[in-house]
């Protein structure tokens, strides 16, 4: 038996090898692609959190007097409270935050004296800072216990003292209190992350005086525990207590983000509910950043899940094709065994055994190779996908065995199951109808659930269900198309087209699997190309809507000479000035409204690409918030420095470049505010290859926003890169799988076709006609499958509806025009040409001389 099994393996080595290689590649991709995508999501999560200190979690409270000293009498109590806050941190936050850093800071006091710029000095009790500095002169600022008067000893950074002109021993008067500099220090390591939120301790920073726009030099002087105790003796002095938990951005993963948002709310409740300490609250920008990231992640996972689901279906179809071709090769052997009295169990040994020999080791090897690539964290879905693929190919072998339950050699010889002659059984009709119904139900449920579907398996299954349902319909129509083509081709003088279509119609049912594989591959290619193009178009529109032109100059003040300098810049072909007057209001409602004066006709001619700019008609354009504020009647807006402007709202405008979204603004003709002086102006600039350096020189000190930079920032978002890369890889993988399906069918049937062509060559068929015959045989399946799949791929974004919502990546602009780009169309044409070249190459490789191929009895 062992020798018989080895002979069987050697006889069927070609389909076994093909099945093993396809399983190896599929298992490798099933591991590497999800892991790589998840790693991209994790990098995007880390980037969304940001490297700045805004994402750090702070527990802050204000207290003063005896209550503050009783709650936090010194460094030990400060550290003890830090540990108490850490114990209250939920697990997801504890995993991504470092050791807590505690500090107490006094309110900023204005330094008395005459300076070039006002000065603000804070007093900071920072236990962690003392371990990270070294004194360059002076000493540690010791203060006497219980001291209530006199100068307080402090230490300041040497850079702070040098820049503001202080030296050791200088006295700084803060109004109600004075301090004396007794030590100058510098950081032991200036790159230590500890100093990022504490720049005031190392050098002067620019701040604004309270309730004003006057800039001041701010700094923090370090004090000891006895000085802190002295500050608490003044009940009017409110000290700020801050326990900071720095976020380790590299520790944040995409999977954690949803849990972190919920846990932040729970932590806020725990902090606010603490009764043994003065009131505290959580301060962080982490939750807002995470919520924005989760919205983008949800969209990415939805569209990528659709692509992944289709790709898995393509891989499964190709593996089923390989297993089916192996089964067809084994069918005569199984028929002989059955005719000699073998049971179905005995037939299962060679059929299922050969399939398992090819599939199982290859699947294990592919999984191991995928893990060795270390593309990212392992995903449970990879094991599920590999397991399903193995079960699918083993299921094909089981079906092949069950087909032999009715007889032996006679069943093989008498049954005819080619595409044209096969009769539809009720069971197959029911199964086909059930598949179509499942696809329709999946789409209906998907659209009803909308964006909340997320990563639900239903989302990933929709492309496969739709592709399979469309494949069933194409298979039902395919024989009728071939039958209809027969009479037409018989009237032609050449025989190549007629013979080729006749050969295509005599393909067995297993030969229909290439149609399903090609259809699904084309569907994935069409879907990814349309969504990718839609994403790029949406981001292009968003960049125009945000900037308003190729460039926008935001000038604090602009005269006619400055406007002429901007228009004279090389590459500038047009410029429109916009006057922006903030904080205007009506006599009946003090709510601030921004008045934007612009010549809309000139602006639309300048930048027609900007979306959402309607015609004013006879009135003014108002934002939705301004419409609620001003009402529908005529309103007069005014403020100091401008003449009153009468506004009659006519239409609403959602957004205007340079104005914040959801803000209150009114757009009026420029001539109504032309005489207003002292207000900022925006200049929208258009042109070809604008000289940016010259533009900056023409508007010195003004902010310049460039559209190509804004677009680069949008397209450079980590999640956008993940989506683009995944779509590109999915389209390439789908195309490769489709070509492999074509190549597999061509190679497996090459010998039988070579004998047939040899007969035709003996009857006068030329080599050139044999190449044409190869193309005609392949063309019906190729064109029907690719055409139907490509159309389905183009329609899939519209079918899935709200699941493919790209607005988180396009500034809120919904993109509904899904059209493939030129590269995708060229790729489709290239794939068809490669398939045709493969047919010709296989025909040439297996070309046999008729004299050697034919026998005398033939």
């Amino acid at each position: 038996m062992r020798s018989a099994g080895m002979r069987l393996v050697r006889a069927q080595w070609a389909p076994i090898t093909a099945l093993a290689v396809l399983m190896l590649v599929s298992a490798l991709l099933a591991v590497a692609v999800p892991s790589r995508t998840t790693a991209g999501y994790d990098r995007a999560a880390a980037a969304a959190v940001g490297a700045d200190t805004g994402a750090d979690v702070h527990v802050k409270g204000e207290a003063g007097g005896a209550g503050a000293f009783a709650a936090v009498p010194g460094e030990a109590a400060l550290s003890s409270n830090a540990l108490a806050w850490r114990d209250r941190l939920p697990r997801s936050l504890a995993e991504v935050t470092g050791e807590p850093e505690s500090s107490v800071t006094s309110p900023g006091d204005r330094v008395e004296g005459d300076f070039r710029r006002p000065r603000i000095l804070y007093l900071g009790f920072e236990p962690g800072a003392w371990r990270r500095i070294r004194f360059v002169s002076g000493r540690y600022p010791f203060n006497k216990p219980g001291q209530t008067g006199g100068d307080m000893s402090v230490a300041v950074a040497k850079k702070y003292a040098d820049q503001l002109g202080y030296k050791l021993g200088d006295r700084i008067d803060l109004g109600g209190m004075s301090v004396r500099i007794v030590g100058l220090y510098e950081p032991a390591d200036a790159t230590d992350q500890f100093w990022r939120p504490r720049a005031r301790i190392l050098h002067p920073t620019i701040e604004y005086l309270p309730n004003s726009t006057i800039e001041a030099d701010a700094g923090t002087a370090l004090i000891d525990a006895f000085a802190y105790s002295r500050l608490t003796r003044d009940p009017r002095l409110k000290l700020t207590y801050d326990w900071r938990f720095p976020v380790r951005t590299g520790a944040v993963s995409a999977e954690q983000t949803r849990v972190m948002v919920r846990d932040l709310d729970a932590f806020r409740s725990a902090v606010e509910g603490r009764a043994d300490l003065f009131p505290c609250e959580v301060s962080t920008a982490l939750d807002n950043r995470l919520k924005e990231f989760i919205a983008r992640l949800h969209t990415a996972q939805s569209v990528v899940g659709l692509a992944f689901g289709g790709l898995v279906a393509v891989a499964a179809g190709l593996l089923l094709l390989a297993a089916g071709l192996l089964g067809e090769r084994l069918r005569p052997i199984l028929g002989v065994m059955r005719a000699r009295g073998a049971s179905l169990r005995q037939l299962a040994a060679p059929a299922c055994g050969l399939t398992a020999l090819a599939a199982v080791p290859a699947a294990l090897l592919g999984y191991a190779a995928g893990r060795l690539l270390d593309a990212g964290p392992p995903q449970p879905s990879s094991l599920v996908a590999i397991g399903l693929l193995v079960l699918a190919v083993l299921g094909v072998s089981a079906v092949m065995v069950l087909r032999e339950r009715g007889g032996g050699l006679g069943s093989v010889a008498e049954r005819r199951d080619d595409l044209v002659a096969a009769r539809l059984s009720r069971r197959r009709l029911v199964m086909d109808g059930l598949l179509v119904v499942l696809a329709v139900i999946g789409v209906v449920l998907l659209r009803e659930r909308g964006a909340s579907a997320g990563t639900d398996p239903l989302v990933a299954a929709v492309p496969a269900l739709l592709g399979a349902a469309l494949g069933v319909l194409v298979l039902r129509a395919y024989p009728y198309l071939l039958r209809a083509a027969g009479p037409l081709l018989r009237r032609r003088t050449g025989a190549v087209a007629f013979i080729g279509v006749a050969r295509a119609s005599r393909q067995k049912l297993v030969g229909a699997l290439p149609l399903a594989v090609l259809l699904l591959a084309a569907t994935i290619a069409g879907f990814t190309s349309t969504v990718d193009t839609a994403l790029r178009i949406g981001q292009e529109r968003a960049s125009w809507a945000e900037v308003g032109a190729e460039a926008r100059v935001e000038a604090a003040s602009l005269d006619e000479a400055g406007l002429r300098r901007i228009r004279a810049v090389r590459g500038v072909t047009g410029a429109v000035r916009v006057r922006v007057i903030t904080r205007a209001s009506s006599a009946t409602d003090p709510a601030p409204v921004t008045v934007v004066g612009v010549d809309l006709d000139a602006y639309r001619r300048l930048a027609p690409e900007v979306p959402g700019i309607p015609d004013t008609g006879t009135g003014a354009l108002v934002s939705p918030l301004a419409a609620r504020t001003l009402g529908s009647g005529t309103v007069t807006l005014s403020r100091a420095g401008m003449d009153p402007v009468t506004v009659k709202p006519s239409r609403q405008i959602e957004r205007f470049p340079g104005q914040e979204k959801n803000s209150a603004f009114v757009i009026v003709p420029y001539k109504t505010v032309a005489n207003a002086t002292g207000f900022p102006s925006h200049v929208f600039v258009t042109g070809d290859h604008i000289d940016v350096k010259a533009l900056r020189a023409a508007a010195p000190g003004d902010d310049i926003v460039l559209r190509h930079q804004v677009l680069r920032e949008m397209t450079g978002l980590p999640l956008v890169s993940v989506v683009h890369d995944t779509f590109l890889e999915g389209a390439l993988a789908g195309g490769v799988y489709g070509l492999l399906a074509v190549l597999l069918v061509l190679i497996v049937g090459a010998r039988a076709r070579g004998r047939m062509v040899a007969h035709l060559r003996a009857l006068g068929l030329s080599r050139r006609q044999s190449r044409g015959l190869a193309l005609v045989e392949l063309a019906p399946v190729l064109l029907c499958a690719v055409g139907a799949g490509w159309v389905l791929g183009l329609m899939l974004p519209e079918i899935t509806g709200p699941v493919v919502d790209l607005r988180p990546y396009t500034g809120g602009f919904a993109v509904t025009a899904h059209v493939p780009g030129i590269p995708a169309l060229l790729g489709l044409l290239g794939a068809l040409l490669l398939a045709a070249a493969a047919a010709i190459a296989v025909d040439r490789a297996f070309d046999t001389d008729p004299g050697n191929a034919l026998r005398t009895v033939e």
Side-chain angles (χ1 to χ4, degrees):
M1 287 295 293
R2 182 175 300 179
S3 60
M6 292 302 298
R7 287 196 301 270
L8 187 59
V9 170
R10 286 195 298 268
Q12 306 298 333
W13 70 269
I16 291 175
T17 303
L19 179 59
V21 171
L22 292 175
M23 180 60 74
L24 174 66
V25 173
S26 299
L28 175 63
L29 292 178
V31 175
V33 175
S35 296
R36 186 172 181 269
T37 302
T38 302
Y41 290 157
D42 292 342
R43 289 192 299 271
V49 171
D52 60 345
T53 61
D56 294 341
V57 180
H58 296 260
V59 179
K60 291 185 177 182
E62 285 190 354
F69 186 77
V72 185
E75 179 179 348
L78 197 63
S79 301
S80 176
N81 278 284
L83 297 177
W85 293 128
R86 188 180 64 180
D87 292 340
R88 284 174 168 79
L89 275 176
R91 180 178 178 180
S92 66
L93 297 178
E95 290 176 347
V96 301
T97 54
E99 291 298 317
E101 301 167 0
S102 309
S103 65
V104 184
T105 308
S106 71
D109 290 323
R110 183 166 180 173
V111 179
E112 293 189 354
D114 187 14
F115 308 105
R116 182 181 62 88
R117 187 159 47 197
R119 297 178 181 178
I120 301 174
L121 185 65
Y122 297 84
L123 302 179
F125 178 42
E126 296 267 1
W130 296 116
R131 299 189 295 270
R132 294 174 172 86
I133 63 173
R134 59 172 175 265
F135 282 92
V136 295
S137 61
R139 59 176 175 80
Y140 181 87
F142 290 105
N143 288 274
K144 295 180 181 180
Q147 181 181 354
T148 58
D151 294 339
M152 180 184 295
S153 297
V154 300
V156 298
K158 186 176 185 302
K159 183 179 289 187
Y160 175 85
D162 292 342
Q163 290 186 16
L164 299 186
Y166 292 115
K167 61 182 183 298
L168 202 64
D170 281 355
R171 183 173 181 271
I172 302 178
D173 192 353
L174 301 178
M177 180 173 52
S178 60
V179 299
R180 189 173 299 277
I181 300 175
V182 298
L184 300 178
Y185 60 82
E186 62 183 16
D189 181 10
T191 62
D192 192 335
Q193 298 300 310
F194 176 85
W195 301 114
R196 284 195 308 159
R198 299 173 173 84
R200 283 198 316 244
I201 300 178
L202 299 183
H203 56 78
T205 60
I206 301 299
E207 294 184 5
Y208 293 102
L209 292 177
N211 302 320
S212 74
T213 58
I214 301 174
E215 293 183 346
D217 291 316
T220 299
L222 296 180
I223 60 176
D224 66 347
F226 295 116
Y228 159 71
S229 175
R230 176 179 172 180
L231 293 177
T232 61
R233 290 190 178 90
D234 185 356
R236 297 170 301 175
L237 191 63
K238 296 297 182 183
L239 304 178
T240 299
Y241 294 79
D242 185 4
W243 291 273
R244 171 177 173 260
F245 295 87
V247 173
R248 298 179 289 114
T249 55
V252 178
S253 66
E255 190 68 24
Q256 291 175 300
T257 53
R258 292 183 175 88
V259 180
M260 290 172 63
V261 171
R262 295 195 299 267
D263 286 350
L264 270 171
D265 293 335
F267 185 52
R268 282 192 172 92
S269 300
V271 168
E272 294 173 358
R274 185 174 174 181
D276 61 335
L277 192 68
F278 45 80
C280 296
E281 62 180 11
V282 177
S283 174
T284 180
L286 181 62
D287 47 357
N288 291 331
R289 297 181 183 182
L290 290 181
K291 288 176 182 177
E292 293 178 0
F293 169 76
I294 289 172
R296 294 193 178 104
L297 177 65
H298 188 279
T299 299
Q301 290 177 329
S302 296
V303 295
V304 169
L306 288 169
F308 277 172
L311 192 58
V312 170
V314 173
L318 185 56
L319 288 171
L320 292 176
L321 172 62
L325 292 175
L326 175 60
E328 286 295 317
R329 293 281 294 268
L330 291 175
R331 191 173 179 187
I333 300 174
L334 298 179
V336 172
M337 293 177 63
R338 186 65 169 163
R340 291 178 176 178
S343 65
L344 293 180
R345 177 182 294 181
Q346 290 173 318
L347 295 183
C352 298
L354 289 181
T355 304
L357 178 65
V360 175
L364 295 175
L365 187 59
Y367 179 81
R371 294 303 311 132
L372 287 176
L373 289 177
D374 194 22
Q379 300 299 304
S381 58
S382 299
L383 290 173
V384 174
I386 294 174
L388 290 177
L389 293 178
V390 172
L391 290 176
V393 296
L394 292 177
V396 173
S397 300
V399 171
M400 290 297 180
V401 172
L402 292 176
R403 291 181 65 178
E404 303 300 328
R405 65 183 180 273
L409 291 173
S411 65
V412 177
E414 294 172 5
R415 286 199 304 266
R416 185 181 167 192
D417 59 354
D418 54 79
L419 289 175
V420 174
R423 294 182 178 180
L424 297 179
S425 64
R426 292 182 179 179
R427 181 180 301 176
R428 286 190 59 190
L429 286 174
V430 171
M431 293 297 295
D432 294 348
L434 179 61
L435 186 59
V436 174
V437 171
L438 283 177
V440 173
I441 292 174
V443 172
V444 172
L445 292 177
L446 189 64
R447 293 185 65 88
E448 286 184 355
R449 294 178 61 185
S452 62
T455 57
D456 193 288
L458 176 64
V459 177
V462 164
L465 290 174
L466 288 174
L470 181 61
V472 166
L473 298 178
V474 172
L475 279 176
R476 294 294 164 259
Y478 183 69
Y480 297 101
L481 294 176
L482 295 179
R483 289 173 182 170
L488 297 177
L489 296 176
R490 277 197 294 266
R491 300 190 184 100
R492 295 175 60 89
T493 56
V496 172
F498 174 75
I499 296 174
V501 172
R503 285 274 301 164
S505 64
R506 293 301 297 269
Q507 291 288 332
K508 294 183 180 297
L509 288 177
V510 71
L513 277 173
L515 187 146
V517 174
L518 289 171
L519 190 147
L520 283 171
T523 299
I524 296 305
F527 170 71
T528 54
S529 63
T530 52
V531 175
D532 192 70
T533 303
L535 179 57
R536 296 182 187 277
I537 293 174
Q539 290 177 331
E540 188 84 13
R541 293 185 67 202
S543 67
W544 280 105
E546 182 171 339
V547 180
E550 288 294 347
R552 186 177 74 241
V553 180
E554 298 179 352
S557 60
L558 185 71
D559 54 12
E560 290 298 327
L563 185 59
R564 286 194 296 270
R565 287 196 302 270
I566 292 174
R567 287 174 172 166
V569 171
R570 183 165 54 89
V572 172
T573 58
V576 171
R577 177 197 287 183
V578 175
R579 183 64 52 81
V580 181
I581 303 175
T582 60
R583 306 191 67 81
S585 61
S586 65
T588 58
D589 193 338
V593 177
T594 299
V595 178
V596 180
V598 58
D599 184 348
L600 273 183
D601 292 334
Y603 177 62
R604 275 193 293 266
R605 289 193 299 270
L606 177 84
E609 298 89 351
V610 178
I613 307 296
D615 188 5
T616 56
T618 58
L621 297 178
V622 295
S623 68
L625 181 58
R628 291 194 296 268
T629 302
L630 303 179
S632 59
T634 302
V635 179
T636 300
L637 299 176
S638 63
R639 63 155 291 177
M642 67 170 280
D643 296 331
V645 176
T646 301
V647 175
K648 180 176 178 53
S650 62
R651 299 183 62 181
Q652 289 192 16
I653 180 172
E654 292 292 333
R655 62 181 78 191
F656 189 79
Q659 302 302 310
E660 293 185 4
K661 189 178 179 181
N662 300 324
S663 62
F665 62 88
V666 177
I667 297 179
V668 299
Y670 182 79
K671 61 184 180 181
T672 61
V673 294
N675 295 327
T677 58
F679 297 104
S681 294
H682 291 176
V683 181
F684 294 103
V685 180
T686 189
D688 298 322
H689 306 292
I690 298 175
D691 189 339
V692 178
K693 291 184 178 179
L695 184 61
R696 296 187 188 279
D702 297 332
D703 293 332
I704 297 178
V705 183
L706 302 175
R707 192 185 67 83
H708 70 270
Q709 289 183 352
V710 172
L711 181 61
R712 188 184 303 119
E713 291 174 358
M714 289 182 181
T715 56
L717 289 173
L719 276 179
V720 175
S721 301
V722 172
V723 172
H724 283 315
D725 294 344
T726 303
F727 279 2
L728 178 61
E729 294 168 359
L732 291 176
V736 170
Y737 272 129
L739 291 175
L740 286 176
V742 172
L743 195 61
L744 181 62
V745 173
L746 290 174
I747 292 176
V748 170
R751 288 192 181 277
R753 185 183 178 279
R755 289 193 297 269
M756 183 273 300
V757 171
H759 283 84
L760 295 176
R761 291 281 303 280
L763 296 176
L765 188 74
S766 67
R767 291 184 181 273
R768 182 178 180 181
Q769 287 176 318
S770 71
R771 308 291 186 256
L773 181 62
L775 293 178
V776 174
E777 288 181 23
L778 181 64
V781 171
L782 192 65
L783 295 179
C784 287
V786 173
W790 186 258
V791 172
L792 176 61
L794 301 186
M795 297 173 59
L796 195 57
E798 298 295 339
I799 293 173
T800 54
V803 176
V804 186
D805 186 2
L806 302 175
R807 286 178 295 181
Y809 298 99
T810 59
F813 286 97
V815 182
T816 57
H818 299 284
V819 180
I822 298 298
L825 296 176
L826 293 177
L828 176 65
L829 178 61
L832 293 175
L833 292 177
L834 282 175
I840 294 175
V842 172
D843 179 79
R844 180 173 298 176
F846 288 86
D847 191 6
T848 306
D849 184 70
N852 297 327
L854 301 179
R855 300 292 186 267
T856 303
V857 295
E858 296 176 327

